[in-house]
């Protein structure tokens, strides 16, 4: 197990101290002039401990949002387009800045072109819609996803806040979205949007319980709700030590394969990907709850899906694939590699299978996944007990 | 003299009381459910402020994630007209 590259809070603290030193230098320079003496107490206040810490927090959160919601969101959208094009025997987006290399372009600029196009469009509010809710619901949706990034660690150092019950916080914030989707569907006052919102809420009731059951099994094995502690448990060789010989040590995918399967299905449903995308099925309900949104508001509610994909892939890697545990390379690189691997599995599944019906997800959720999840918890308790007794 | 923690508490409490009043006075039932969700989330904020993280997170989990969805379902299943005609 190698070390981590980034110490997010320490780095942010250093940046904050550096910025405040520069600002104080300027302020004291001006404050030495006759009329501007009132600036000196301001400079003193800026140098005190609580102010430095608050600014360091702000910088840490900004770095985290830029890292996840700008860099990886754009890469995910680009990668999905390219991989889907490959699966469908097309080339996908190919926009580049150089006109002469039109055929060989990577197409990474396509997202930026799309965003520029959407920003220029008019923000249309339908006449029959509830205007306030229509505009609040996307913000609600996106803020509940972005707040997840506060507790989501990318390595031992690359985390904004190391919360004791961080996993619970992530799942709680993650499960707020169906409420926002239902409200968004209602506010548009359109029957397709309404049906989409109802479908999202009905689907949430069927996948949320198996997801929590799968997480409970992991928590039983790890004995902690802290994501960093769960990953550390997976890097130790306590449970199932014989499997350490084949190199993947103690990742929870080995004792918890059933849980991994359930969690993967629940995460596919959480992102409304294709086997479970009936809230926005374009053939049935013309994009469901997104139907009345236009311009950048549509871009936001449509693009946030990849942020949820990113968080979902990170959660799968964190809980079942050993997080940032791996040989030689630094922790961050391992974690990002695993996230992209899980993302590739998501794309592969979602563009290879047809959509299921709304009554089928209720059947799958309630009659198959919940009993499997309970059995999975039994398995986890068995493994912990066997380990405590020294049987394995 | 009010310190920072007290100030934050007062702000959260004010938001909570305001949203609780709006739950009762809202004209549309969907808005009432939305204000209820907001009121319960601010209550979780008060729990977090008093250093009981677990209760706060469970509050968000259950009373903000699950209960309002059930309420909205209930509202939509009753005979009140959830959608309005175009004027």
């Amino acid at each position: 197990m190698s070390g981590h590259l980034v110490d997010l809070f320490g780095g942010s603290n250093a940046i904050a101290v550096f910025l405040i030193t520069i600002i104080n230098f300027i302020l004291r320079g001006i404050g030495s002039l006759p009329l501007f003496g009132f600036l000196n107490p301001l400079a003193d206040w800026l140098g005190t401990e609580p102010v430095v810490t608050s600014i360091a927090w702000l910088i840490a959160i900004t770095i985290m949002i830029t890292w996840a919601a700008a860099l990886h969101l754009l890469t995910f959208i680009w990668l999905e387009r390219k991989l889907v094009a490959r699966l469908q025997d097309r080339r996908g987006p190919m926009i580049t800045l150089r006109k002469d290399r039109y055929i060989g372009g990577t197409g990474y600029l396509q997202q930026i072109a799309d965003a520029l196009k959407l920003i220029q469009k008019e923000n249309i509010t339908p006449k029959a819609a509830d205007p306030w809710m229509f505009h609040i619901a996307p913000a609600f949706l996106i803020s509940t996803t972005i707040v997840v990034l506060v507790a989501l660690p990318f390595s031992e150092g690359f985390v904004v806040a190391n919360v004791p019950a961080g996993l619970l916080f992530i799942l709680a914030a993650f499960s707020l979205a169906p409420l926002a989707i239902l409200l968004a569907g209602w506010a548009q006052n359109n029957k397709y949007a309404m049906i989409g919102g109802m479908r999202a809420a009905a689907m949430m009731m069927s996948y949320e319980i198996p997801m929590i059951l799968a997480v409970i099994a992991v928590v039983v094995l790890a004995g902690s709700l802290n994501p960093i502690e769960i990953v550390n448990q997976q890097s130790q060789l306590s449970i199932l030590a014989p499997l350490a010989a084949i190199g993947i040590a103690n990742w929870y995918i080995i004792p918890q394969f059933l849980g991994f399967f359930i969690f993967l299905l629940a995460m596919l449903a959480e992102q409304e990907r294709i086997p479970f995308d009936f809230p926005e099925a374009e053939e049935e309900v013309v994009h469901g709850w997104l139907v009345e949104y236009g311009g950048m508001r549509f871009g936001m509610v449509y693009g946030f899906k990849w942020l949820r994909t990113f968080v979902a892939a990170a959660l799968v890697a964190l809980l079942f694939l050993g997080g940032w545990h791996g040989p030689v390379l630094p922790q961050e690189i391992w974690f990002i590699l695993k996230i992209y691997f899980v993302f590739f599995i998501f794309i592969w599944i979602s563009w290879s299978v047809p959509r299921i019906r709304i009554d089928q997800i209720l059947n799958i959720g309630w009659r198959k996944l919940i009993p499997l999840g309970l059995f999975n918890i039994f398995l986890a308790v068995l493994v912990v007990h066997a380990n405590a007794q020294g049987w394995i | 003299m009010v310190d920072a923690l007290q100030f934050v508490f007062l702000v959260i409490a004010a938001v909570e009381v305001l949203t609780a009043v709006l739950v009762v006075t809202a004209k549309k039932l969907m808005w009432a459910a939305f204000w209820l969700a907001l009121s319960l989330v601010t209550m979780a904020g008060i729990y977090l402020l008093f250093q009981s993280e677990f209760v706060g997170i469970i509050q968000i989990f259950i009373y903000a994630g699950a209960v309002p969805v059930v309420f909205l379902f209930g509202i939509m299943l009753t005979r009140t007209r959830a959608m309005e005609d175009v004027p």
Side-chain angles (χ1 to χ4, degrees), chain A residues 168-169 172 225, chain B residues 44 47-48 52-65:
Chain A
L168 211 56
F169 178 79
L225 279 169
Chain B
Y47 286 140
L48 290 179
S52 45
E53 285 101 357
F54 192 76
V55 185
I57 291 169
I58 290 293
Q59 172 89 12
I60 294 177
F61 220 130
I62 295 172
Y63 286 97

Side-chain angles (χ1 to χ4, degrees), chain A residues 231-347:
Chain A
V231 173
N232 284 341
Q233 292 280 332
Q234 292 182 63
S235 67
Q236 291 164 5
L237 304 178
S238 55
I239 310 175
L240 295 180
L243 284 172
I246 57 173
I248 44 180
N250 191 23
W251 296 359
Y252 286 153
I253 189 173
I254 299 293
Q256 285 290 306
F257 185 75
L258 213 51
F260 174 71
F261 175 69
I262 295 169
F263 196 74
L264 203 67
L265 279 189
M267 280 296 136
L268 277 173
E270 176 88 48
Q271 312 156 31
E272 298 176 353
R273 275 190 172 275
I274 274 191
F276 308 105
D277 79 331
F278 34 77
E280 49 189 69
E282 61 269 28
E283 295 90 350
E284 300 165 18
V285 287
V286 289
H287 262 298
W289 58 277
L290 301 159
V291 66
E292 294 283 2
Y293 284 108
M296 197 53 206
R297 208 161 281 277
F298 170 76
M300 275 157 65
V301 289
Y302 195 65
F304 99 105
K305 216 172 86 174
W306 279 278
L307 188 59
R308 291 178 78 77
T309 306
F310 180 68
V311 175
L315 275 180
V316 173
L318 200 70
L319 294 178
F320 294 100
L321 298 182
W324 46 80
H325 168 57
V328 186
L329 292 173
Q331 292 176 351
E332 284 86 1
I333 300 195
W334 268 112
F335 198 49
I336 288 300
L337 282 178
K338 282 172 186 173
I339 288 174
Y340 277 83
F341 175 69
V342 176
F343 178 60
F344 180 68
I345 295 178
F346 283 155
I347 295 177

Side-chain angles (χ1 to χ4, degrees), chain A residues 127-128 130 132-133 136 140 164-165 168-169 171-173 175-176 178-179 182-183 186 189-191 194 198 201-202 204-205 212 225, chain B residues 28 30-31 33-34 37-38 41 48 53-54 57-58 60-61 64-66 68-70 72-73 76-77 81-87:
Chain A
K127 194 177 177 187
D130 189 323
W132 279 95
M133 191 66 89
I136 287 173
F140 190 12
L168 211 56
F169 178 79
L171 291 172
S175 66
L176 282 177
L179 175 64
L182 191 51
L183 288 171
W186 169 77
N189 208 356
N190 176 316
K191 57 176 176 275
M194 180 80 132
M198 290 289 273
M204 172 223 171
M205 289 187 181
I212 299 296
L225 279 169
Chain B
K28 294 176 178 171
M30 299 290 278
W31 272 103
F34 174 72
L38 214 58
V41 169
L48 290 179
E53 285 101 357
F54 192 76
I57 291 169
I58 290 293
I60 294 177
F61 220 130
V69 172
V70 178
L72 292 177
F73 249 140
M76 286 180 174
L77 291 176
R81 300 196 61 179
M83 293 171 66
E84 292 163 18
D85 292 330
V86 181

Side-chain angles (χ1 to χ4, degrees), chain A residues 194-242:
Chain A
M194 180 80 132
I195 293 170
M198 290 289 273
R199 284 180 170 199
M203 188 172 78
M204 172 223 171
M205 289 187 181
S206 57
Y207 73 75
E208 200 104 299
I209 302 169
M211 180 182 88
I212 299 296
L213 290 178
V215 171
I216 286 173
V218 168
V219 171
V220 166
L221 278 181
S224 169
L225 279 169
N226 186 343
I228 294 178
E229 179 63 29
I230 288 174
V231 173
N232 284 341
Q233 292 280 332
Q234 292 182 63
S235 67
Q236 291 164 5
L237 304 178
S238 55
I239 310 175
L240 295 180

Side-chain angles (χ1 to χ4, degrees), chain A residues 363-376:
Chain A
N363 264 337
I364 291 171
W366 284 93
R367 288 174 51 192
K368 304 212 168 58
L369 289 186
I370 289 182
L372 274 181
L374 291 171
F375 178 65
N376 185 40

